């Protein structure tokens, strides 16, 4: 969601900025722009539409001179996607240029105040107030001016700022929206996400809320919100550059689907020692775990779906009550939390605005928090009391795949760990679970090897208008994910229903030819699913079932069947989601959609 880039150094800045913005495209955007300092003025080039358009009109940046610049890809929140609403925004006197990620909640009041003082506005954005606040509260020093302007801002913001009075510097400030500074040799970078600079430097500074950075080509200095100098440690990124490239696949999404065996391996293997699940890395004390009364899992989108599976697993193995809530609801629900509760935040990016707010609400109430996060050093990872990393590696496609399965694997590990530590009745099954977990990456590989069968099935259904998913228990949680995956990239209407609930309303939508994808991976519920499949077939539905390989009865009542290799009840859902991801992918690709960057969506939702 919006991308920020900045460069200062010996090279021509515009091509560097465009290259960085290109690598941020996956975040989602609808317009792009750059601003460069050259010959005593700030030159701005910006355009609605794809970044390629901006590249075309600037000859890849070559027509825009200057060695100091900022750039932006905008995902519209205030004001339609248009040239004039694109960033960067200049102050009225054209001495300041600003790029902004986030939302300025009090922009209307600020705009009115600035208009009353004679300012003019050239866009409908909330962001334009910032450049004018810089002009209004100019202190003669870029850092002090930024600090003075920020005092007036309410909301979330990551800012990159140029000033004509300090043409050899870029200033940056963050609050509730990520911002990273890359340290190079005689050059420095500003970005909103690490993949944008990993090919230039692995040494980065992660800005914290309220911190200001001032970069020149040779150094980076840091200040608190009042402009007082502070120290900051360099963070070394150790993942491989190829992880952020397509590596021969047509889309990142397919590459990431195929990377799941490795993501599972990395997430699981270090945590199984001598046949036992070892999460001592969490530092959760045994006595506290034994007294744990309730768990609240809070997340958004697919991470919420992973959380639902987490509830199924934790309640089954550790017998602790679990609630699962959507972060945007949780944060405003005045949640009832007690000292013997645990709040688990699940997030790939660790930067989702609602999940951050939910985490802060839990901390405000003094409750212990655990983050299941993929991005190292992200806000949620830094602020939670305990962190369980998923080691899925960088995920670029907007539709999450490998990060989701790694989240589910982390929740399986966690459920087993607390069952073990509490000595629950399930504990004797744990070494079987640990063994199955170790086999999971290999079995996942076998499931993915069968991708051409899913491709064939997608070719039968890619032009359907409505597709329904049904399942019970864990399979219902899985259905929600299958349905979301399909919606987000194929734009086909889809719903997931608990299979037993269908006849209470939604079954009226089933007509001859409607595709119903039925999940029946759990032994204890498969007979019920058998009946539900027959119910929808009796109304003319075409049924594609996903169940244990060799389940002849389910296969016999279905039009199409995908068999999942046997592993264990706890882990088959992780395997069963893979055909669903492949199905969504192939359907979207057959429809000619931009699979990695679906319309209206952003990878990391950093605004409310
Ligand atoms: O980064 P997060 O895991 O916190 O993101 C949560 C959701 O925005 C995310 O899972 C979203 O639903 C994905 N696009 C789904 O594919």
């Amino acid at each position: 969601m919006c991308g920020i880039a900045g460069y200062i150094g010996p090279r021509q800045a515009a091509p560097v900025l465009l290259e960085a913005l290109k690598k941020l495209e996956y975040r989602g955007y609808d317009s792009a722009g750059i601003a460069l300092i050259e010959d005593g003025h700030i030159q701005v080039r910006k355009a609605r539409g794809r970044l390629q358009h901006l590249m075309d009109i600037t000859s890849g940046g070559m027509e825009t001179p200057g060695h100091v610049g900022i750039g932006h890809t905008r995902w519209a929140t205030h004001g339609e996607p248009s040239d004039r609403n694109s960033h960067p925004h200049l102050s009225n006197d054209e001495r300041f240029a600003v790029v902004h990620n986030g939302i300025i909640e009090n922009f209307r009041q600020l705009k009115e105040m600035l208009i009353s003082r004679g300012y003019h506005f050239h866009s409908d954005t909330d962001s334009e107030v910032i450049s004018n606040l810089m002009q209004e509260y100019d202190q003669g020093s870029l850092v002090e001016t930024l600090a003075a302007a920020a005092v007036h801002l309410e909301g979330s913001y990551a800012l990159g700022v140029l000033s004509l009075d300090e043409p050899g510097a870029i200033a940056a400030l963050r609050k509730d929206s990520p911002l990273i500074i890359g340290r190079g040799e005689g050059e420095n970078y500003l970005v909103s996400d690490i993949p944008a600079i990993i090919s230039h430097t692995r040494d980065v500074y992660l800005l914290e809320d309220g911190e200001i950075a001032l970069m020149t080509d040779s150094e980076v200095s840091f200040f608190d919100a009042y402009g007082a100098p502070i120290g900051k440690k360099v963070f070394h990124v150790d993942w491989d550059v190829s992880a952020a490239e397509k590596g021969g696949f047509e889309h990142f999404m397919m590459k990431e689907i195929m990377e799941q065996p490795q993501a599972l391996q990395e997430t699981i293997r270090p945590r199984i020692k001598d046949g036992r699940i070892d999460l001592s890395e969490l530092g959760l004390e045994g006595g506290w775990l034994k007294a744990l009364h309730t768990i609240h899992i809070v997340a958004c989108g697919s991470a919420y779906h992973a959380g639902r599976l987490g509830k199924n697993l934790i309640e089954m193995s550790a017998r602790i009550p679990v609630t699962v809530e959507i972060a945007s609801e949780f944060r405003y629900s005045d949640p009832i939390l007690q000292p013997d509760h645990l709040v688990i935040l699940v997030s790939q990016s660790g930067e989702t605005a609602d999940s951050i707010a939910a985490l802060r609400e839990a901390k405000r109430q003094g409750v212990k928090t655990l983050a299941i996060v993929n991005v190292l050093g992200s806000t949620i990872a830094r602020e939670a009391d305990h962190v369980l990393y998923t080691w899925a590696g960088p995920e670029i496609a907007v539709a999450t795949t490998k990060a989701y399965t790694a989240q589910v694997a982390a929740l399986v590990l966690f459920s087993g760990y607390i069952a073990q530590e509490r000595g629950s009745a399930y504990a004797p099954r744990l070494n079987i679970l640990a063994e199955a977990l170790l086999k999971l990456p290999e079995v996942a590989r076998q499931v993915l090897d069968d991708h051409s069968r899913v491709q064939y099935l997608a070719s039968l259904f890619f032009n359907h208008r409505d597709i329904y998913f049904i399942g019970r228990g864990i399979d219902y949680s899985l259905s929600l994910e299958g349905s979301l995956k399909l919606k987000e990239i194929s734009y086909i209407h889809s719903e997931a229903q608990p299979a037993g609930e269908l006849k209470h309303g939604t079954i009226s939508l089933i007509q001859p030819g409607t595709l119903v994808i039925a999940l029946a991976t759990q032994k204890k519920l498969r007979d019920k699913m058998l009946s539900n499949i027959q119910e929808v077939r009796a109304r003319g539905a075409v049924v594609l079932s996903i169940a244990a390989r060799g389940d002849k009865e389910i296969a016999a009542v279905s039009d199409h069947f995908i068999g999942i290799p046997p592993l264990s009840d706890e882990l088959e859902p992780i395997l069963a989601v893979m055909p669903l991801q492949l199905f969504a992918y192939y359907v979207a690709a057959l429809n000619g959609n931009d699979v990695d960057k679906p319309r209206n969506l952003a990878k990391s939702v950093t605004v409310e």
Side-chain angles (χ1 to χ4, degrees):
M1 187 164 268
C2 297
I4 284 182
Y7 173 78
I8 182 162
R11 290 185 280 158
Q12 186 177 351
V16 182
L17 294 173
L18 292 171
E19 180 206 317
L21 292 178
K22 182 103 201 119
K23 294 197 172 128
L24 293 172
E25 273 191 306
Y26 72 90
R27 292 171 66 92
Y29 72 102
D30 41 55
S31 52
I34 50 176
L36 288 301
I37 296 189
E38 173 67 2
D39 278 346
H41 72 280
I42 300 177
Q43 191 185 354
V44 175
R45 302 297 304 270
K46 51 190 191 178
R48 182 198 164 152
R50 288 278 159 209
L51 183 65
Q52 190 56 48
H53 179 45
L54 180 64
M55 288 173 147
D56 291 344
I57 61 174
T58 59
S59 306
M62 297 313 287
E63 281 177 15
T64 321
H67 298 268
V68 183
I70 50 177
H72 191 259
T73 43
R74 171 175 187 252
W75 189 86
T77 57
H78 295 64
E80 56 168 10
S82 66
D83 290 358
R84 68 191 193 92
N85 285 337
S86 310
H87 298 213
H89 292 288
L90 288 173
S91 56
N92 278 192
D93 62 6
E94 302 194 353
R95 282 172 37 248
F96 296 99
V98 171
V99 287
H100 166 223
N101 287 358
I103 291 178
I104 304 302
E105 287 167 359
N106 60 337
F107 87 99
R108 276 193 191 82
Q109 297 92 301
L110 292 171
K111 197 165 174 174
E112 275 166 27
M113 179 274 284
L114 288 162
I115 289 172
S116 73
R117 294 187 190 180
Y119 286 82
H120 299 284
F121 282 81
H122 307 285
S123 77
D124 307 318
T125 65
D126 52 335
S127 311
E128 198 184 354
V129 296
I130 305 167
S131 46
N132 287 322
L133 283 175
M134 300 277 299
Q135 176 181 335
E136 177 66 13
Y137 295 109
D138 190 354
Q139 309 289 307
S141 123
L142 182 49
V143 167
E144 283 173 27
T145 304
L146 187 51
V151 167
H152 301 269
L153 301 177
E154 285 169 20
S156 58
Y157 42 88
L159 302 174
V161 183
L162 298 180
S163 162
L164 272 188
D165 300 329
E166 291 181 43
I170 300 174
L173 163 63
R174 90 158 247 176
K175 179 177 167 273
D176 295 340
S177 190
L179 209 47
I180 287 139
I181 284 145
R183 191 178 73 175
E185 296 272 320
E187 56 186 2
N188 287 306
Y189 303 84
L190 174 69
V191 275
S192 39
D193 208 352
I194 292 172
I197 42 160
I198 191 75
S199 56
H200 298 297
T201 178
R202 288 165 174 281
D203 290 333
V204 301
Y205 298 99
L206 307 170
L207 271 194
E208 300 279 353
D209 276 357
E211 288 180 355
I212 298 175
L214 185 73
M215 310 158 37
T216 64
D217 54 1
S218 56
E219 65 180 313
V220 188
S221 331
F222 297 94
F223 307 85
D224 67 14
Y226 307 100
I230 53 169
K232 203 154 182 67
K233 281 202 190 121
V234 174
F235 178 87
H236 187 74
V237 180
D238 54 10
W239 41 263
D240 190 356
V241 148
S242 65
E245 285 164 3
K246 279 192 202 151
F249 287 91
E250 199 180 338
H251 297 104
F252 277 111
M253 183 176 173
M254 183 49 110
K255 175 178 176 255
E256 289 159 5
I257 289 175
M258 292 300 170
E259 281 173 348
Q260 290 180 103
Q262 187 176 354
L264 291 170
Q265 170 111 354
E266 305 277 327
T267 302
I268 294 167
R269 193 160 257 298
R271 280 131 179 185
I272 304 227
K273 292 177 190 147
D274 303 324
R276 283 173 67 81
I277 296 172
D278 182 354
L279 292 185
S280 50
E281 65 186 277
L282 296 181
L284 283 168
E285 198 247 312
W288 187 84
L289 272 179
K290 282 205 176 83
L292 180 58
H293 183 272
T294 303
I295 295 177
H296 306 268
I297 302 182
V298 186
C300 304
S302 294
Y304 165 78
H305 298 153
R308 288 190 58 103
L309 274 163
K311 170 185 166 76
N312 300 136
L313 297 165
I314 295 168
E315 289 186 342
M316 177 183 71
S317 57
R319 306 300 297 156
I320 299 177
V322 181
T323 70
V324 193
E325 286 179 69
I326 289 174
S328 53
E329 293 293 317
F330 178 88
R331 65 183 289 190
Y332 295 117
S333 65
D334 199 4
I336 301 167
L337 305 173
Q338 306 288 343
D340 55 358
H341 290 193
L342 172 70
V343 175
I344 304 182
L345 286 304
V346 186
S347 175
Q348 186 285 128
S349 60
E351 299 295 352
T352 301
D354 286 316
S355 303
I356 295 173
L359 165 69
R360 290 179 182 163
E361 171 59 24
K363 292 193 78 173
R364 193 188 64 77
Q365 292 201 33
V367 177
K368 220 184 242 312
T369 54
L370 164 69
I372 297 183
V373 176
N374 194 44
V375 176
L376 224 65
S378 55
T379 304
I380 293 179
R382 291 200 308 268
E383 293 190 14
D385 302 314
H386 307 272
V387 185
L388 178 57
Y389 278 111
T390 49
W391 297 114
E395 192 179 61
I396 307 293
V398 165
T400 178
T401 52
K402 62 175 182 172
Y404 165 83
T405 45
Q407 284 164 353
V408 178
L411 284 158
V412 175
L413 286 165
F414 185 71
S415 65
Y417 181 67
I418 41 180
Q420 180 180 289
E421 296 305 295
R422 289 164 67 97
S424 83
Y426 178 88
R429 255 191 71 78
L430 283 171
N431 39 7
I432 303 174
L433 178 67
E435 250 177 64
L437 274 164
L438 290 174
K439 285 191 200 141
L440 180 64
E442 182 43 42
V443 186
R445 206 163 275 125
Q446 290 167 25
V447 173
L448 293 169
D449 280 349
D450 209 13
H451 58 91
S452 25
R453 165 141 179 78
V454 184
Q455 187 173 22
Y456 162 71
L457 292 168
S459 75
L460 302 180
F461 302 114
F462 75 98
N463 53 6
H464 275 226
R465 298 312 321 142
D466 305 283
I467 296 180
Y468 296 86
F469 289 74
I470 57 171
R472 288 169 175 261
I474 287 182
D475 284 328
Y476 170 55
S477 301
L478 209 57
S479 302
L480 288 165
E481 177 58 9
S483 171
L484 178 67
K485 212 83 308 169
L486 186 72
K487 284 190 261 220
E488 50 180 343
I489 58 172
S490 74
Y491 316 143
I492 291 173
H493 164 255
S494 166
E495 275 184 44
Q497 279 278 311
E501 180 66 11
L502 205 60
K503 58 175 109 31
H504 295 282
T506 309
I507 202 164
S508 66
L509 297 173
I510 307 291
Q511 316 175 48
T514 305
L515 176 62
V516 175
I517 300 183
L519 290 138
T521 67
Q522 299 152 91
K523 289 179 199 74
K524 64 173 186 189
L525 293 168
R526 80 167 278 284
D527 289 355
K528 302 286 166 203
M529 283 305 297
L530 206 58
S531 308
N532 296 136
I533 292 170
Q534 295 180 90
E535 274 164 19
V536 289
R537 277 199 88 199
R539 271 110 194 139
V542 175
V543 176
L544 161 59
S545 296
I546 303 181
R549 184 181 283 172
D551 191 332
K552 293 206 176 89
E553 260 186 302
I554 295 271
V557 297
S558 310
D559 299 274
H560 306 279
F561 179 78
I562 295 177
I564 299 298
L567 194 56
S568 79
D569 265 10
E570 299 87 342
L571 302 184
E572 275 159 30
I574 306 187
L575 298 167
V577 81
M578 293 175 188
L580 302 181
Q581 297 167 337
L582 287 165
F583 184 77
Y585 172 83
Y586 286 123
V587 166
L590 284 164
N591 279 300
N593 297 351
D594 189 347
V595 175
D596 285 338
K597 300 185 284 286
R599 72 181 178 211
N600 303 341
L601 292 179
K603 179 67 182 164
S604 175
V605 184
T606 50
V607 294
E608 221 188 309

